[in-house]
Amino acid sequence: MLRHLTACVFGVAALMAASAPASAEKRVALVIGNSAYQHTGTLKNPSNDATDMARTLRELDFEVIDGTDLTKRDMVKRIRTFADKVRGADVGLFYYAGHGLQVNGRNFLAPVDAKLSSDVDLDFEAVELDLVLKQLERSSRLSLVFLDACRDNPLAMQLAQTSRSLGIGRGLAQVEKAVGMMIAFSTQPGNVALDGDGRNSPYTAALLRHIAAQGRSINDTMIEVRRDVLEQTDGKQVPWENSSLTGQFFFKPAPLPPTAGGPNETAAQIAALREEIERLKGAKVADGVSQAARDDRRRGRREAPPVSRPSSPPSTRVSRQKPRPPLPLPPCQCSPRKPSSPPTSPPSLKTSTAMTARRRATGTDKRKMRCSASTHSPSSTCRTTRRKTRPSPR
């Protein structure tokens, strides 16, 4: 019973957690858009793209660190702030719109004050993409990267003219991703993206349309974005993703069907179940204590030495058993004894001396009557025995 109630509590709690809004997750985003470049031509859309993306992500419960037309120093500051905020986040997101280039397989993002005249300028004028990816890998559980930076880049052409030894390619290079990260490019690796004629680029416009769709996963969202971009560019631009995600992610999860009594009733049910669990726990503890006491008493009786009692004196009570009546004696066939004569006065000394002399003269000392076997035997006969005595010498 106790296990059943505990399972019910956990089930209801899980249901409430699943029905909670997406804001229960910690979501942090860094959004940068650079348009007003100082040493090359100005781009039309990146500042608008970053502004609209930051607003949409805030509506989707992201904590956004954003900036437009940032210098190298400002970009590093934003990245440092993002590194502090994204620590321990459930979702970390990076969006960049502006110029980017690949050199020897490494991707660089160009601040608005970047001036690339030699390969040395890359380390001091540009920001390497790996600087941002490292912050995401070490801090967030799930990482999303959107790069609308594959435009035709005059900075890369200037660098190629002055440093022919560098392997400068078109667009951005493919990135080796970590587990739990998706990197989305506005076009396939080694190709360039179009800037577009409207407020936003074709890629960012498609993203803004689909990421706020309710109940749509990140994979389904990118499929819809790819379809829209292919349609807008007549197949010239194909959005590309490198993904190592291990689960689904929803920018706007679909709400669960409401319960009958709403969240208040659900909370009351959980409270009631917890009270019942505590009551059963208390009863179980009391039963355990009483059972332990009973066991201790039994154990004490088994282990206690036997009590020595003084031996009781032998009983002096007379047995209440009635004595058996004596067996009847058989009739004696002896001649009855003559009744004794009444006591007479003791004979005188003279008379007794005369009687003794007479017995000696006759040789008869004493006469005795006895039965041969037993006086109680019916076949016994009586006889007279004479004990002869020697005559005394005269």
Side-chain angles (χ1 to χ4, degrees):
M1 182 63 181
L2 184 59
R3 290 181 180 178
H4 179 68
L5 287 175
T6 305
C8 289
V9 169
F10 281 116
V12 175
L15 182 62
M16 290 186 67
S19 61
S23 59
E25 290 182 329
K26 183 181 179 181
R27 299 177 166 193
V28 183
L30 173 63
V31 178
I32 297 175
N34 291 334
S35 293
Y37 283 93
Q38 301 173 8
H39 302 286
T40 186
T42 301
L43 296 176
K44 178 182 177 182
N45 303 118
S47 295
N48 298 333
D49 294 340
T51 301
D52 296 343
M53 182 61 67
R55 182 183 64 251
T56 302
L57 291 176
R58 286 190 178 97
E59 294 173 355
L60 295 173
D61 302 310
F62 277 84
E63 181 182 357
V64 180
I65 298 98
D66 61 329
T68 58
D69 297 332
L70 301 178
T71 63
K72 168 72 178 293
R73 183 178 180 181
D74 293 335
M75 284 187 68
V76 173
K77 284 183 178 180
R78 296 296 197 286
I79 295 172
R80 178 59 186 270
T81 302
F82 175 69
D84 294 337
K85 296 285 187 180
V86 80
R87 188 174 301 163
D90 297 299
V91 182
L93 185 147
F94 175 57
Y95 172 87
Y96 176 78
H99 279 313
L101 66 157
Q102 61 161 312
V103 179
N104 294 336
R106 298 164 61 194
N107 292 318
F108 293 89
L109 309 178
V112 294
D113 61 344
K115 185 178 181 179
L116 304 178
S117 301
S118 65
D119 55 348
V120 178
D121 294 335
L122 284 173
D123 296 329
F124 299 98
E125 299 289 334
V127 176
E128 192 171 0
L129 177 61
D130 282 348
L131 178 62
V132 181
L133 299 183
K134 287 178 182 178
Q135 314 311 316
L136 291 170
E137 289 178 11
R138 71 165 61 106
S139 300
S140 63
R141 180 179 57 84
L142 184 144
S143 303
L144 304 174
V145 179
F146 298 95
L147 300 172
D148 194 359
C150 305
R151 294 168 170 85
D152 193 5
N153 191 352
L155 293 173
M157 292 186 287
Q158 293 176 9
L159 188 61
Q161 291 174 359
T162 57
S163 302
R164 294 187 178 183
S165 62
L166 296 177
I168 301 174
R170 299 180 67 194
L172 295 178
Q174 189 170 354
V175 179
E176 294 295 332
K177 56 198 176 299
V179 176
M181 178 180 291
M182 187 193 76
I183 301 177
F185 301 90
S186 58
T187 189
Q188 63 267 40
N191 202 354
V192 294
L194 303 176
D195 203 21
D197 298 329
R199 173 179 172 83
N200 303 112
S201 69
Y203 181 70
T204 300
L207 273 177
L208 294 173
R209 278 194 300 270
H210 293 291
I211 63 173
Q214 194 173 66
R216 183 177 292 172
S217 69
I218 183 64
N219 296 328
D220 295 337
T221 298
M222 298 314 298
I223 290 174
E224 296 299 327
V225 168
R226 188 176 299 111
R227 287 175 179 173
D228 286 2
V229 173
L230 284 170
E231 183 180 352
Q232 274 191 318
T233 61
D234 296 330
K236 297 177 182 178
Q237 181 178 335
V238 183
W240 202 267
E241 300 95 39
N242 291 334
S243 176
S244 62
L245 297 179
T246 57
Q248 291 289 358
F249 172 73
F250 299 86
F251 281 100
K252 191 174 183 179
L256 293 176
T259 57
N264 294 332
E265 182 176 349
T266 305
Q269 291 175 354
I270 292 178
L273 288 173
R274 285 177 176 170
E275 290 179 1
E276 183 65 16
I277 288 175
E278 294 299 327
R279 186 188 66 80
L280 291 176
K281 283 182 178 179
K284 188 174 182 180
V285 169
D287 292 343
V289 171
S290 60
Q291 181 64 32
R294 288 194 293 269
D295 294 342
D296 290 342
R297 287 197 295 270
R298 293 195 190 101
R299 194 179 300 111
R301 286 197 295 269
R302 288 196 299 266
E303 296 177 355
V307 179
S308 59
R309 297 180 179 179
S311 58
S312 58
S315 176
T316 56
R317 293 184 302 173
V318 180
S319 176
R320 294 183 179 180
Q321 187 176 4
K322 295 181 179 181
R324 293 180 180 180
L327 294 176
L329 297 176
C332 185
Q333 297 180 1
C334 300
S335 58
R337 182 176 298 179
K338 294 181 179 181
S340 58
S341 58
T344 56
S345 59
S348 61
L349 181 59
K350 184 187 275 188
T351 304
S352 60
T353 303
M355 290 176 66
T356 301
R358 192 184 302 113
R359 288 193 194 102
R360 287 177 180 175
T362 59
T364 303
D365 182 32
K366 187 177 181 181
R367 190 172 183 174
K368 184 177 181 181
M369 300 291 295
R370 66 175 182 177
C371 295
S372 62
S374 173
T375 57
H376 303 289
S377 173
S379 59
S380 63
T381 56
C382 296
R383 64 178 178 273
T384 303
T385 60
R386 293 177 180 269
R387 186 173 59 185
K388 296 182 178 181
T389 60
R390 294 180 182 179
S392 59
R394 292 185 181 180

